[in-house]
């Protein structure tokens, strides 16, 4: 059974930092590109950042460039999202995702390429 387990969310003041983690089980981690999505109340789900199988290719949505960093650790089957200088507009439920076919699954496109989703971790940024 494939599981993606997110952790690291919480409440933080604007300007603060958080590190999200997503630990996977039941899949061969190196065979999957990994991504982070988020969804705020009343808004559509948004691809935030993703990283290819080898980690060579990364993608960041414009609003987080320079503030967020994605990385992966094959030894721990875990993908991380380091978030700095957080803003109230970053408040959302953050989901981890895995794709076996798309090196950057969080990049907007006509077809969803995610094979597996996590349950999400809440990030709340107060002003």
């Amino acid at each position: 059974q494939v599981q993606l387990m997110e952790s690291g969310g919480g409440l933080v003041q604007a300007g603060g930092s958080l590190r999200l983690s997503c630990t996977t089980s039941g899949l061969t981690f190196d065979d999957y590109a990994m991504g982070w999505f988020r969804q705020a109340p009343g808004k559509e789900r948004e691809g935030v950042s993703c990283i290819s199988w080898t980690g060579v290719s990364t993608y960041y949505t414009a609003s987080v460039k320079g503030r967020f960093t994605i990385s992966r650790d094959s030894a721990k089957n875990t993908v991380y999202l380091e978030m700095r200088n957080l803003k109230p507009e970053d408040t959302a439920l953050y989901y981890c995702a895995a794709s076996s076919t798309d090196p950057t699954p969080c990049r907007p496109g006509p077809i969803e390429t995610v094979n597996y989703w996590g349950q999400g971790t809440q990030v709340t940024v107060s002003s």
Side-chain angles (χ1 to χ4, degrees):
Q1 181 181 359
V2 175
Q3 289 190 322
L4 279 63
M5 186 66 68
E6 301 99 334
S7 61
L11 174 63
V12 64
Q13 288 188 331
S17 300
L18 284 174
R19 187 176 80 156
L20 305 184
S21 300
C22 171
T23 300
T24 68
S25 60
L27 56 76
T28 303
F29 185 70
D30 289 348
D31 288 346
Y32 286 82
M34 302 297 297
W36 290 95
F37 292 74
R38 67 186 179 188
Q39 188 165 21
K43 294 188 176 181
E44 292 188 354
R45 189 175 61 203
E46 172 189 30
V48 177
S49 180
C50 43
I51 187 167
S52 62
W53 303 276
T54 61
V56 170
S57 297
T58 58
Y59 166 86
Y60 297 92
T61 193
S63 62
V64 309
K65 281 183 180 178
R67 301 188 297 121
F68 290 12
T69 303
I70 192 169
S71 61
R72 62 188 294 156
D73 186 338
S74 294
K76 297 182 178 179
N77 293 338
T78 299
V79 61
Y80 303 98
L81 187 67
E82 189 79 35
M83 306 186 295
R84 298 178 298 276
N85 191 22
L86 283 160
K87 303 176 181 181
E89 50 264 42
D90 294 319
T91 295
L93 187 61
Y94 282 71
Y95 297 91
C96 177
S99 173
S100 62
T101 58
D102 186 348
T104 50
C106 66
R107 188 187 297 270
I111 303 173
E112 182 176 289
T113 57
V114 172
N115 300 109
Y116 301 105
W117 293 93
Q119 294 296 309
T121 185
Q122 178 67 39
V123 171
T124 303
V125 184
S126 63
S127 56

